[in-house]
Amino acid sequence: MPTDKKNDTTVDNRDLDNIELSSYSNSNTVDLEALEEEYDQYKKEEEIEYISGNYLNSSPTQNINVTSNPKYEEYKKLKHLDQSYNYVSTEYLDTDYLIPAHNENIITFKEYYNHSLKEYFTFNAAKNYALSIFPIIHWLPFYNFNWFISDLIAGITIGCVLVPQSMSYAQIATLDPQYGLYSSFIGAFVYALFATSKDVCIGPVAVMSLETAKVIADVSSHFQNDPDVTGPIIATTLALLCGGIAAAVGFLRLGFLVELISLNAVTGFMTGSAFNILWGQVPGLMGYSKLVNTRQATYKVVIDTLKHLPDTKLDAVFGLIPLFILYVVKWWCTNYGLQLAEKQFSSNERYRFYLKKFYFYTNAMRNAVVIIIFTAISWSITRNKSSSERPITVLGTVPSGLKDIGVFKPQTKIVQKIGPQLPASIIVLLLEHIAIAKSFGRINDYKIVPDQELIAIGISNLVGTFFSAYPATGSFSRSALNAKCNVKTPLSGIFTGGCVLLALYCLTGAFFYIPKATLSAVIIHAVSDLIASYQTTLSFWNMNPLDTLCFLVTVLITVFSSIENGIYFAMCYSCALFIFRSAFPAGKFLGRIEIAEVINATPKDDFQMDNFNGFETSEYNNFPADQSYGKFDIANKNTHKYNSPHCSKNFYTKWVPFDHTYTKELNKDVEILEPPPGVIVYRLSDSFIYLNCSRHFDTIFDEVKRKTKRGKFIGNIKKSQRPWNDPGEWEAPTWMTKKFSIRNLFKRKQEAESNVPNEDASTDLDISNNKDIDMDHRPVLQVICLDFSQVSQTDNTALQSLFDLRKSVNSYADRQVEFHFCGIISPWVKRGLIKLGFGTVNEAYSDASTIVGHVSYHIVKNPTFRNKSFSSHTSEDTISDMNIEAKDYNNYSIEAASGTNYPFFHIDIPNFSKWDV
């Protein structure tokens, strides 16, 4: 408990108004009360002189200098202004407050190392890093039979889907079907060892297959007569490069770079790519694929496809009918069939359960079933016939087993030609996979580690080079099916890969008769889900129109140019928007309102002030300590439902932006009060860095010039000494005044404005040139308060800009302007400010005389409970464990909220209306 130093008696903490400052009666060197009265008189005279604008008898630049009084040095010593910095304002309090001193030290690199870096340079950190590369170690010891059954069912289901899709996507990549199967099984095997997602199914996908086809076409054009450069070699080289880069990014923990591209950008190029793939498969669906160049721009493919519709062959039967069946089965099994089951078997839960399972697996197997049916029909009409005699185009020979296994030897000349296409390929490979993994992680409540996913995708493609695989990544459709199959662990990939291997060794003979048109139907049906619907576009528009613009332009570029250009635009747009938002932050100038919290209140449309139930408006710093938030009565908490025991009785100052009508932060009918004269409060809305510091500088300084006047009247300065960019009002030269009587015109204008008749037209008073009159009644700038509550970081350029701003406003105001900061959340930001002279009392920028009566501290009411304190309870503690009783709230201590040795740093924005400004 604090004590009164004069009477040495115990003082109740709750009666802070009765605490007195330590007596200085033992000092006989000076009469403190007389000196304070003299100082107050000086301040009042200065205020009257500035506010009234009466400068006829004295120059406005002749400010009263309290420090010139010889007794002031003794006054500083008595108050310990230079030593303890414990300043208090006695202007509006009956007595001074005594608060505990708290000397705050700036952060050091050692503290930063211990807090943020030390844990990464220990043996345990190295061990954890090594173990994190193999997530299977953490969950495999807990593997059980139930997990095995779920993984087996999911793995086989995905395998039945993956086999036809892999051969179809290989067709998009302009490769033979077996290469799609190679990429499928090896990707599924390896990914299971490194994955942090149980749902993602890795393998060939449509967009990556399309990108592979473009790379093959581009590189092949440079080696048309080279038999050593083939499509499979180019595709495997691409897998090697993409896998190596992805793994390196993951091992270096640089996965955050993927976040630079926004969701709308990813959706844009995936929609454009899906549209490209869809139209690229229409010629194959109709049977005239050789007549259309599907590697050109999408809009040209659409035009050529429509031109050749008269060339449609019998293949269209094996394409359109399967496509129709696929869509009907999907619609029935996911929509109407389920609704019908709910109606017909509403009373029989068992029938509904089995019917839903039947619909689910029918929908999952629809691709495989359709291919089996139409392959059988194709076999019946094409067997024992030569290629020229066959009525439809079939897939052809698929080598059985693993014919192309071996150590891959990349060719330097191919690597050089792939280089220009590599960035787009890596972006497609990584972005699609990370987006899918994060999506299913959020849906199914588990955490995805992006860095580890990059390692998994990288190693999968690196190992795939030993099996002549082309780049593989996560598939959205197969991952969704995997999740619906209730997969339990990534080990389901082992069973999926096993199904693909089984097909490679046992079913390649049947693959020969698969109609290519049916594969095209499977591709079109699969990629149609990747095209964003109009609901997605409308959602983008409702959330952010700029995101919608990025989405639409990306789609258009992908369709009318190429997928690579669409990817690059999406990436550049995302980065440009990020830089734009950082360079043009929405900083706000703040005003003040008085607010109070009301608990369990009833809103009323026809509310009248007469109905207001007894709120008391009290001063922020004057309320008794035990009533700061109303009476806390646990025993009777249900007896006063709508009255004052359940609401804060005190209105306190809250600082809000002036443009609240636009931002909707505050009721538009509320009037916001301006800060006190000479005070400007500004909130930075983002990190204060080199990108936006110049804009903040200009914004603040423009507001200073708009709301305050120069400390030194411009009329008192010779023309030759005035700054070129602020020369004051234009004055006619003497020769022009004499010749054109401009002088009299100025006199008449002044008389008309003041409504005073000119009784003596020949008077010698020259109003236009009178330098002793300042008609500007704006205040002189005294305080700039910067809200840093949203500034997480800063840099040297920004701090130097702030340093320059201080010099500029000091020169403008012709005095030391106080810079106050509140809500600093980073100790390094505070360190940088202190090193530049902010926050502390110093002779250069803020000597002690400038803040007498201009300083306040925030104090904290620190509860001390009998059993536990808030400072020691952990997340495992519960309210019942703490045994809080109402009388425990009377036991507390008072602590300084921030360092008292830095009087310009505050926890919250001070109530400047209480200051002597």
Side-chain angles (χ1 to χ4, degrees), residues 465-763:
T465 59
F466 291 93
F467 298 87
S468 300
Y470 75 92
T473 187
S475 167
F476 182 82
S477 59
R478 295 195 298 269
S479 299
L481 178 60
N482 209 15
K484 291 178 182 178
C485 289
N486 198 27
V487 65
K488 295 299 182 182
T489 71
L491 207 61
S492 63
I494 301 296
F495 307 114
T496 299
C499 289
V500 178
L501 274 179
L502 182 64
L504 267 170
Y505 278 97
C506 301
L507 300 178
T508 53
F511 290 163
F512 180 92
Y513 296 99
I514 296 177
K516 282 193 174 183
T518 305
L519 288 180
S520 295
V522 171
I523 294 172
I524 292 173
H525 179 68
V527 301
S528 61
D529 292 334
L530 299 178
I531 298 178
S533 64
Y534 72 93
Q535 292 97 333
T536 301
T537 307
L538 184 61
S539 175
F540 282 152
W541 175 262
N542 291 333
M543 290 187 290
N544 193 322
L546 290 178
D547 288 345
T548 310
L549 177 64
C550 175
F551 167 75
L552 294 176
V553 175
T554 302
V555 172
L556 292 176
I557 291 176
T558 305
V559 170
F560 288 96
S561 180
S562 66
I563 183 175
E564 295 87 352
N565 293 336
I567 292 171
Y568 293 145
F569 170 80
M571 182 174 61
C572 293
Y573 185 93
S574 299
C575 295
L577 196 61
F578 171 76
I579 295 173
F580 177 82
R581 287 169 176 167
S582 298
F584 296 92
K588 304 288 185 181
F589 290 100
L590 308 182
R592 52 194 171 92
I593 58 175
E594 298 293 322
I595 68 172
E597 182 183 3
V598 185
I599 302 174
N600 293 332
T602 303
K604 190 175 182 182
D605 292 334
D606 57 344
F607 174 81
Q608 300 294 330
M609 194 62 192
D610 296 338
N611 298 330
F612 197 53
N613 55 1
F615 280 78
E616 300 175 4
T617 302
S618 63
E619 303 301 337
Y620 181 67
N621 288 322
N622 269 351
F623 52 76
D626 64 340
Q627 295 182 5
S628 59
Y629 292 97
K631 295 179 181 179
F632 191 91
D633 189 354
I634 293 181
N636 299 317
K637 63 181 179 180
N638 296 320
T639 59
H640 304 287
K641 189 172 182 180
Y642 300 108
N643 213 335
S644 57
H646 290 268
C647 58
S648 173
K649 285 189 174 184
N650 302 103
F651 285 85
Y652 61 94
T653 300
K654 177 70 176 178
W655 295 86
V656 295
F658 284 108
D659 60 345
H660 63 291
T661 302
Y662 168 75
T663 61
K664 312 298 182 184
E665 184 176 349
L666 186 68
N667 184 351
K668 65 179 181 179
D669 297 327
V670 175
E671 295 293 335
I672 298 180
L673 301 177
E674 292 278 350
V679 177
I680 291 178
V681 183
Y682 183 74
R683 174 186 295 161
L684 290 84
S685 61
D686 204 345
S687 292
F688 186 45
I689 54 178
Y690 69 97
L691 284 174
N692 55 38
C693 61
S694 296
R695 182 172 177 84
H696 283 306
F697 181 104
D698 295 338
T699 301
I700 296 173
F701 197 57
D702 289 345
E703 183 74 358
V704 168
K705 291 191 290 186
R706 188 178 72 87
K707 284 194 172 182
T708 65
K709 64 180 180 182
R710 283 185 175 274
K712 184 179 292 184
F713 180 43
I714 195 70
N716 291 335
I717 305 176
K718 295 180 179 180
K719 293 182 179 180
S720 59
Q721 296 179 350
R722 296 178 187 176
W724 68 273
N725 60 334
D726 191 8
E729 294 186 3
W730 182 78
E731 297 176 1
T734 304
W735 65 269
M736 186 179 295
T737 303
K738 292 180 179 179
K739 187 172 183 179
F740 298 103
S741 300
I742 298 296
R743 181 176 183 179
N744 294 329
L745 292 176
F746 284 165
K747 287 168 58 178
R748 287 195 296 271
K749 180 180 178 181
Q750 183 66 35
E751 291 167 0
E753 291 178 352
S754 60
N755 293 322
V756 177
N758 186 8
E759 297 179 357
D760 186 6
S762 62
T763 179

Side-chain angles (χ1 to χ4, degrees), residues 73-88:
E73 294 298 325
E74 300 178 62
Y75 177 73
K76 284 202 303 180
K77 292 178 181 179
L78 291 176
K79 283 289 188 179
H80 305 284
L81 297 181
D82 290 333
Q83 288 79 14
S84 65
Y85 308 109
N86 288 332
Y87 309 108
V88 293

